Amino acid sequence: MPFEPPAMRIGLGLAAVGRPGYINLGRERDLPADRSVEALRARSHELLDAAYAAGVRYFDVARSYGLAEEFLAGWLPGKAGAVAGSKWGYTYTAGWRVDAPVHEAKDHSVATFDRQVAETLELFGDRLDLYQIHSVTPESTALTDATLHRRLADLAATGVTVGLSTSGPRQADAIRAALRVEVGGEPLFRTVQATWNPLEPSAGPALAEAHADGRTVIVKESLANGRLAGCDAAAIAAALHQPWAGVVLSGAATTAQLAANLRALDVDDPGPLPPAETPAAYWAHRASLTWS
């Protein structure tokens, strides 16, 4: 079955709580001083419980989000209607340290896919609904590797929807290239997950094309890694109001943040928000954020 956006259009991503270090602003305030595996498992499950109780049904993780896949997979049993999506292509390398010199390593090779899809399926079994390539850019071999495309098509034939996420100032180019990828005359990528927020809306036209072509669009980083904290509901509502948006992710690290994010569902007019930056300026700023 192709991935279908759930009735609740806000989903929950665990990037901020699946590992001790991340680039979101305000982590020293949002997370406990104890960032042990058990502490972050407890925080993840607290957020998942609150989100599920509020009607959230899509949950997003990745191989590189520390132990986020494990946290989500351990929580899923008994959660009727919960939809799990993960991503491959980055390997977590921080060793559960905040001060690690490198936190993740990117590799879109067939070998990495083979290893990571096995790891993901071992955790989720038949509860994996969506598997995306992580942070595709126009230069990524994931857009041109025919062997990889056949592997992904084989996975799709088992019932797992195949998609991709994009990153960087040329997201639109990556999205449009992905829309052209076919295997056996059929489109390969059924979902597109992209950064879109008031500061970085440049992927919007390409996402509209993806939606018009029948692909499901998932919006990530709607709060710009915390830069738009304080106008949570308005910023998320701005994304929800885009006619091409299927699911908008909350990256909440606390239940209070989650509640603030969910208030976006009741916002009819987001009102004025900070002006857009150039894609180059936005992504340069994002690259300068410190893991904390």
Side-chain angles (χ1 to χ4, degrees), residues 72-225:
L72 176 59
W75 172 87
L76 273 175
K79 306 302 190 299
V83 176
S86 191
K87 299 179 286 294
W88 72 273
Y90 273 90
T91 298
Y92 180 64
T93 60
W96 213 256
R97 290 170 49 197
V98 175
D99 62 349
V102 178
H103 288 260
E104 52 191 14
K106 184 176 182 178
D107 182 357
H108 286 163
S109 68
V110 172
T112 295
F113 170 74
D114 287 346
R115 171 173 54 84
Q116 293 195 321
V117 71
E119 293 166 342
T120 297
L121 290 174
E122 183 177 3
L123 286 168
F124 286 97
D126 61 4
R127 291 302 302 267
L128 182 69
D129 297 282
L130 172 63
Y131 208 45
Q132 301 178 103
I133 309 175
H134 203 165
S135 293
V136 173
T137 61
E139 302 80 20
S140 173
T141 57
L143 293 170
T144 57
D145 188 331
T147 301
L148 175 62
H149 295 167
R150 287 192 294 273
R151 290 279 214 287
L152 291 168
D154 289 345
L155 177 64
T158 70
V160 177
T161 297
V162 168
L164 79 162
S165 73
T166 61
S167 187
R170 297 179 58 202
Q171 287 189 107
D173 292 339
I175 292 164
R176 291 183 172 116
L179 295 180
R180 297 192 292 269
V181 175
E182 296 184 346
V183 174
E186 294 294 326
L188 178 60
F189 300 115
R190 298 291 182 171
T191 65
V192 177
Q193 181 171 317
T195 294
W196 188 96
N197 59 60
L199 299 176
E200 169 41 330
S202 67
L207 294 172
E209 293 168 25
H211 173 75
D213 200 38
R215 321 301 173 97
T216 297
V217 173
I218 301 170
V219 175
K220 62 185 175 77
E221 300 183 351
S222 55
L223 296 181
N225 298 104

Side-chain angles (χ1 to χ4, degrees), residues 12 14 16-19 30-32 34-51 67-68 70-72 74-75 96 252-255:
L12 176 65
L14 298 186
V17 292
R19 54 196 165 184
D30 298 336
L31 291 182
D34 175 10
R35 297 190 191 178
S36 65
V37 170
E38 288 309 314
L40 290 186
R41 178 182 283 110
R43 174 62 63 90
S44 295
H45 286 187
E46 178 186 22
L47 284 163
L48 290 164
D49 284 341
L67 293 177
E70 179 185 316
F71 296 165
L72 176 59
W75 172 87
W96 213 256
T254 70
T255 54

